[in-house]
Amino acid sequence: MARGFSFEVVNALDYDELRPSYAPEAIAWVAERGSLHRGSIVVDLAAGTGQVSRGFAPLGVDLIAVEPAANMRAVLEERLPTVRVEEGTSEAMPAADRSVDAVVVGNAFHHFEHRTAFAEIHRVLRPRGVLALFWAWALEEEQLSIPAMRVIDQVVEATRGSNDIATAYRSWSEVPSTAEGFGPFERREFPVTNVIRSARLADLYATSSDVASLPEPVRRELLERIRRLAAELPATLQIPGRTVVDLCVRS
């Protein structure tokens, strides 16, 4: 990963259990736009523990999950034994030139060196192959209508501030510019809800790279404050969110 961060420091089991899933309608839209079908080859790049792969696996496509962090790959291999899991990065994917029908990226493109990543994705995609960037974003107005959640958000924002990872992540709030070798990006949004016990809310924040990358004393104090504030919330939270997909086609 770029920016000096490795997900080796994140609890992979918490990541797998607590991170929001992607809307099935988002998966279906990408499959339709990419004309993906049984036997199509799809690379899940920076696959983590397989959140995006889980959505595409039922389609019968041939999945290659590429992930640099060994702890994430171990959970992915256990949970999705039919998926081919490979060590690799956005700068060096284990795929031949023009061999792939789609590359999908779940909540990770902000970690890549963009120009190098686009060039490598262009290399492995067949002409008219699709690149789909998935993002898991909250519906801020609805989420922050809960007083304790609003305070937690303020505490987190004040602590992580404008570190490199947070700044890079926010830069994708707008539809991306067209990359060399690709057509223009299309954006679609799909509602999704993340159900989580409030007692695990701090553990969810701990899986986020912008929190996990904080200096240890700062991170520890932030997570403890989140735990104290989460005690004021209902036992189970239904956090409204949206799956945002930015899709473009290889020229």
Side-chain angles (χ1 to χ4, degrees):
M1 288 287 187
R3 307 179 203 283
F5 180 78
S6 170
F7 273 90
E8 297 278 4
V9 303
V10 170
N11 185 311
L13 291 174
D14 283 352
Y15 188 97
D16 189 64
E17 179 182 348
L18 302 175
R19 299 284 285 194
S21 59
Y22 296 100
E25 296 84 359
I27 304 292
W29 179 68
V30 172
E32 179 183 3
R33 287 288 289 106
S35 300
L36 303 179
H37 49 76
R38 185 170 299 276
S40 294
I41 299 175
V42 178
V43 169
D44 181 3
L45 180 58
T49 58
Q51 278 83 351
V52 177
S53 289
R54 284 188 183 90
F56 282 93
L59 303 180
V61 299
D62 291 338
L63 276 163
I64 307 170
V66 178
E67 169 57 45
N71 57 332
M72 297 286 170
R73 292 199 307 273
V75 173
L76 201 164
E77 288 170 340
E78 179 184 347
R79 302 292 167 84
L80 295 172
T82 62
V83 173
R84 172 183 159 193
V85 180
E86 298 280 357
E87 181 178 4
T89 67
S90 62
E91 293 82 18
M93 281 189 277
D97 295 358
R98 298 188 175 201
S99 64
V100 170
D101 298 295
V103 174
V104 296
V105 184
N107 230 50
F109 205 86
H110 59 296
H111 285 289
F112 302 166
E113 199 293 306
H114 300 163
R115 182 174 297 180
T116 306
F118 278 124
E120 178 68 354
I121 292 166
H122 187 275
R123 179 186 70 79
V124 304
L125 276 175
R126 295 181 174 127
R128 306 301 300 169
V130 297
L131 166 62
L133 311 182
F134 285 76
W135 304 100
W137 291 343
L139 284 173
E140 290 85 356
E141 290 186 7
E142 295 184 34
Q143 180 175 325
L144 300 183
S145 66
I146 305 170
M149 288 294 292
R150 185 166 61 250
V151 174
I152 289 172
D153 180 75
Q154 291 169 349
V155 168
V156 172
E157 286 299 318
T159 302
R160 69 185 172 191
S162 57
N163 68 24
D164 288 347
I165 293 175
T167 299
Y169 191 65
R170 295 186 187 105
S171 72
W172 290 87
S173 60
E174 302 296 331
V175 179
S177 301
T178 301
E180 183 177 357
F182 294 88
F185 276 97
E186 303 176 60
R187 172 168 287 185
R188 294 289 187 276
E189 299 189 9
F190 306 86
V192 69
T193 301
N194 188 22
V195 180
I196 182 175
R197 291 187 292 117
S198 58
R200 301 297 312 278
L201 195 59
D203 297 329
L204 171 60
Y205 275 98
T207 67
S208 180
S209 55
D210 53 1
V211 171
S213 61
L214 292 170
E216 176 56 25
V218 176
R219 187 185 70 86
R220 186 170 56 248
E221 172 59 23
L222 172 62
L223 295 177
E224 184 53 40
R225 291 186 70 185
I226 293 172
R227 290 187 184 96
R228 292 196 299 267
L229 290 164
E232 302 174 19
L233 292 166
T236 301
L237 299 173
Q238 296 190 11
I239 302 176
R242 53 198 168 126
T243 297
V244 177
V245 186
D246 292 320
L247 182 146
C248 63
V249 177
R250 183 196 189 278
S251 302

